[in-house]
């Protein structure tokens, strides 16, 4: 069974979505540990509710960032973790962790990459004026949201959206596609070819495209 390690800094709703899929038996995996860089992350509370081991690793205890990531890699390795899930982990992952888990670290980003990488993907989309945004699950390669794309969901942007309303709409799709990407990985159906991820038996993948609503005044 796939052994997962989760890194989170805050709320942990994507972490929760993965817990729920495992508990509902839609995902054959076990979460070996939650590691946080924030002792008051709400994700810790979620781990406790579901009897998942958790650990706070204080970045300030390390003289160099690479040492912090080496410590994370060591903790994950010592628990036999196969796949690392970044779930709202607010740091750019560095080489010691990436080298320890090549093509085995996933992240979720609240925009349709390569559009609007980095912080506040939803606000960037609103400010730019796009009509469709969404979310992306991708492998992590050391850049800022640059790794090979696994799956994406398109989400409409409406003219009265605020950052909060758009974030909420996108988040509901994050909770669908992140567990789905983990499931595809657990079934050995993700193959990385250069910067492309080929999904084997693609027809079985959920349809994740949403049509934008028609604005009645345009009709
Ligand atoms: C999500 O919007 C995710 O796309 C981004 O950080 C946020 C984390 O939310 N990477 P949560 O902690 O999973 O609720």
């Amino acid at each position: 069974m796939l052994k997962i390690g989760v890194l989170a800094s805050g709320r942990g709703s994507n972490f929760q979505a993965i817990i729920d899929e495992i508990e509902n038996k839609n995902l054959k995996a076990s979460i070996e540990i939650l590691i946080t860089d924030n002792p008051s992350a709400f994700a810790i509370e979620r781990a406790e509710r579901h009897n998942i081991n958790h650990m706070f690793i204080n970045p300030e205890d390390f003289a160099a960032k690479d040492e912090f990531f080496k410590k994370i890699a060591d903790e994950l390795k010592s628990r036999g973790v196969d796949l690392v899930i970044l779930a709202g982990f607010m740091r750019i992952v560095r080489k010691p962790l990436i080298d320890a888990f090549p093509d085995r670290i996933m992240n979720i980003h609240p925009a349709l990459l390569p559009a609007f990488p980095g912080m506040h993907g939803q606000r960037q989309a609103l400010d730019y004026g796009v009509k469709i945004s969404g979310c992306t699950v991708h492998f992590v390669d050391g850049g800022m949201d640059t790794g090979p794309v696994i799956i994406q969901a398109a989400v409409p942007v409406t003219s009265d959206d605020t950052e909060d309303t758009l974030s909420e709409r996108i988040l509901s799709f994050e909770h669908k596609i992140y567990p789905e990407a983990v499931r595809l990985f657990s079934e050995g159906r993700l193959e990385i070819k250069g910067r492309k991820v080929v999904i084997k038996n693609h027809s079985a993948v959920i349809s994740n495209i949403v049509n934008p609503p028609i604005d009645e005044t345009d009709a």
Side-chain angles (χ1 to χ4, degrees):
M1 189 156 52
L2 182 75
K3 293 186 174 181
I4 296 174
V6 177
L7 307 190
S9 301
R11 181 177 58 180
S13 68
N14 280 288
F15 172 44
Q16 184 72 53
I18 291 167
I19 294 172
D20 292 347
E21 285 295 281
I22 292 172
E23 292 190 349
N24 293 336
K25 307 220 181 307
N26 294 325
L27 178 57
K28 288 195 189 74
S30 65
I31 302 177
E32 298 300 311
I33 185 131
L34 164 75
I35 296 178
T36 72
D37 59 352
N38 168 12
S40 49
F42 187 69
I44 295 171
E45 174 122 6
R46 298 182 193 272
E48 287 188 348
R49 284 183 198 162
H50 294 272
N51 290 319
I52 294 169
N53 291 324
H54 59 86
M55 172 183 264
F56 161 57
I57 302 180
N58 190 346
E60 290 171 13
D61 289 346
F62 300 86
K65 284 183 184 161
D66 278 2
E67 288 172 25
F68 170 68
F69 282 100
K70 172 79 170 57
K71 168 74 173 163
I72 293 176
D74 290 348
E75 293 294 343
L76 295 168
K77 283 282 175 196
S78 74
R79 289 169 174 82
V81 164
D82 307 301
L83 178 68
V84 182
I85 299 294
L86 306 185
F89 186 64
M90 303 306 286
R91 287 168 196 274
I92 296 183
V93 169
R94 292 175 69 103
K95 205 169 180 304
L97 181 56
I98 293 170
D99 289 353
F101 292 92
D103 299 336
R104 282 179 159 63
I105 307 174
M106 284 184 189
N107 183 41
I108 186 144
H109 181 74
L112 288 177
L113 293 172
F116 315 128
M119 297 288 285
H120 307 298
Q122 305 95 328
R123 192 190 306 164
Q124 293 183 57
L126 276 179
D127 290 349
Y128 197 92
V130 295
K131 305 296 188 199
I132 297 179
S133 191
C135 44
T136 304
V137 183
H138 64 95
F139 284 111
V140 170
D141 68 355
M144 168 86 88
D145 302 321
T146 50
V149 169
I150 303 168
I151 41 181
Q152 296 181 300
V155 177
V157 181
T158 63
S159 51
D160 56 356
D161 260 332
T162 62
E163 189 177 355
D164 283 349
T165 59
L166 180 59
S167 298
E168 194 182 328
R169 191 174 312 118
I170 291 174
L171 192 66
S172 68
F173 283 87
E174 294 184 32
H175 297 163
K176 290 189 174 72
I177 67 170
Y178 213 174
E180 175 70 3
V182 177
R183 190 174 66 77
L184 292 169
F185 184 94
S186 74
E187 293 171 352
R189 288 169 56 196
L190 300 181
E191 192 183 335
I192 303 184
K193 290 187 174 172
R195 65 155 298 115
K196 290 186 187 159
V197 178
V198 177
I199 302 177
K200 295 179 210 163
N201 189 13
H202 189 259
S203 59
V205 173
I206 53 163
S207 165
N208 54 31
I209 304 297
V210 194
N211 290 320
I214 306 289
D215 183 342
E216 285 183 3
T217 56
D218 290 349

